[in-house]
Amino acid sequence: MICSLSFPAADMASKAPTAPPLKTFIFYILISFLTSFSVFAMLRYAANAKVDKICRKVEMPTMYYTGESDSKKTTRGTTSTTEGDLVILVWTWPYGQKFPLDQCASLYGISGCNFTVDRSWYSRADAVILHHRDVCHSKTQLPQEPRPYNQRWVWFNLESPRHSPNLHFMDNLINLTLNYRRDADIFSPYGFVKRANSPQDFRIPNKTKLVAWAVSNWDPSLVRVAYYNQLKKHLNIDMYGGRNRPLSPGNTISTISQYKFYLAFENSLNQDYISEKLWHNSLLSGTLPVVLGPPREDYELFLPSDAFIHVNDFPSAKELAAYLHFLDANDEHYRRYFEWRKRLQPIAYTYWTKHYCNACQALRQQPNYKTIPSLAKWYK
């Protein structure tokens, strides 16, 4: 038996969906548009905020000191030039840190440049130095006026590629790179070693503590944080900076010098990126650096092979910790890491002045004019 269901025509008509009024339809469309726009705006704001944080926020300045203290010195530079001298416009103070602009000759024997921060001299400047972290937020932070004939723009950056966003802003604008990399147009590292004229009587500072690490940028995604989490299982490490024990620039050397080892862990593993963590914090304090950064071969281009301990020399953090404990218990083996200090002296660039003077020297040598199509392709 086949059963069928049937409805009167009136019932069918009553159950048919009723089309919403036109005003209701337009209202729903408007609400959907506003919702989508709000979500897009929030995502864009978050992305810009992230770049803004990288470009503007500085957890720990690259240079520990802003310049030699002398109240009689002007930080504005000079607006009177000697015939033949180059006019170099410092577009922004790096991280807002001011320093004397007229000490290249007295400190480093470099002359022939007049530095100024007065932007009214833009049209007469032979070169403009652009500090990346101060102009990376927006293209509007770059010079907006037409560039004078033959004026050179110098891109100055001491941060690693990871912390150098918006490099595409500089496409086809930069003529010279001022950077810590050896293949930069103007090579300006964080430090170097020079040969002493006579044997040096270097004495290892008195050590009462084992391992120190100063870190202000605590990012769990970084390799150095992951390695530290493994190392601390086998070794007591005193932490400074950020939310840890305070460490002011004036007390850095005296504090770290009490330790036998210092973790000179870089925030990025990039070519030639060997920062103040090694040159200033460790070597100037007379502490044995344990480095994490580019490969050992890279460090050995700047330092003797027995001047540091590289984490890559050990299969794991546990083996490294065991070796540090061994050196702690054996003074003779520990002292061998300082033998090089008898013939070589480490120099750390703790002042911005030196980097700008390096630019003066290079510009005076009249390098061939060129334009760099893409910084990003080189700086990676």
Side-chain angles (χ1 to χ4, degrees), residues 224-235 237 316-318 321:
R224 68 181 184 184
V225 174
Y227 197 93
Y228 160 77
N229 288 332
Q230 293 298 315
L231 189 61
K232 70 177 184 179
K233 297 177 182 179
H234 314 285
L235 200 64
I237 302 172
S316 70
K318 181 179 180 179

Side-chain angles (χ1 to χ4, degrees), residues 19 69 94 122 135-136 141-142 157 167 174 188 220 222 265-266 287 291 315 317 328 356:
S69 177
Y122 173 75
V135 297
C136 68
Q141 295 176 307
L142 298 171
N157 187 25
L167 291 172
I174 300 301
S188 195
L222 297 181
F265 286 6
E266 304 296 350
T287 299
V291 304
D328 180 41
Y356 287 83

Side-chain angles (χ1 to χ4, degrees), residues 63-133:
M63 297 293 105
Y64 276 87
Y65 310 102
T66 59
E68 297 76 1
S69 177
D70 188 342
S71 60
K72 296 181 181 180
K73 295 292 183 180
T74 176
T75 59
R76 191 168 183 79
T78 178
T79 53
S80 62
T81 62
T82 302
E83 185 178 356
D85 284 358
L86 298 179
V87 175
I88 301 178
L89 175 58
V90 177
W91 189 248
T92 62
W93 294 111
Y95 298 121
Q97 297 180 2
K98 299 181 179 181
F99 53 92
L101 291 170
D102 56 355
Q103 295 189 329
C104 291
S106 60
L107 292 178
Y108 309 111
I110 298 173
S111 59
C113 296
N114 285 305
F115 288 92
T116 181
V117 294
D118 187 348
R119 292 187 179 181
S120 68
W121 277 71
Y122 173 75
S123 62
R124 288 166 284 179
D126 298 287
V128 178
I129 299 182
L130 302 165
H131 183 244
H132 183 76
R133 287 286 290 269

Side-chain angles (χ1 to χ4, degrees), residues 54 59 159-163 213-230 265-270 273 277 292-293:
I54 294 175
E59 289 80 15
E159 299 296 338
S160 65
R162 179 188 178 97
H163 295 91
W213 186 27
V215 55
S216 57
N217 178 19
W218 184 264
D219 184 348
S221 67
L222 297 181
V223 174
R224 68 181 184 184
V225 174
Y227 197 93
Y228 160 77
N229 288 332
Q230 293 298 315
F265 286 6
E266 304 296 350
N267 58 39
S268 303
L269 313 184
N270 294 104
Y273 186 59
K277 300 170 187 66
L292 182 152

Side-chain angles (χ1 to χ4, degrees), residues 237-296:
I237 302 172
D238 290 344
M239 300 280 290
Y240 291 90
R243 298 180 181 179
N244 304 294
R245 306 179 189 187
L247 183 63
S248 65
N251 295 328
T252 300
I253 298 299
S254 59
T255 300
I256 296 178
S257 66
Q258 303 172 51
Y259 291 84
K260 283 194 170 182
F261 307 98
Y262 179 77
L263 303 184
F265 286 6
E266 304 296 350
N267 58 39
S268 303
L269 313 184
N270 294 104
Q271 175 187 339
D272 299 340
Y273 186 59
I274 304 172
S275 72
E276 83 286 340
K277 300 170 187 66
L278 177 125
W279 295 106
H280 180 273
N281 293 11
S282 186
L283 295 183
L284 292 194
S285 65
T287 299
L288 178 54
V290 179
V291 304
L292 182 152
R296 167 174 277 277

Side-chain angles (χ1 to χ4, degrees), residues 163-178:
H163 295 91
S164 304
N166 289 334
L167 291 172
H168 63 280
F169 285 177
M170 312 295 173
D171 287 355
N172 297 304
L173 293 177
I174 300 301
N175 307 112
L176 298 167
T177 55
L178 173 60

Side-chain angles (χ1 to χ4, degrees), residues 294-308:
R296 167 174 277 277
E297 293 76 14
D298 208 337
Y299 281 89
E300 290 180 357
L301 294 172
F302 298 87
L303 286 166
S305 60
D306 56 351
F308 60 94

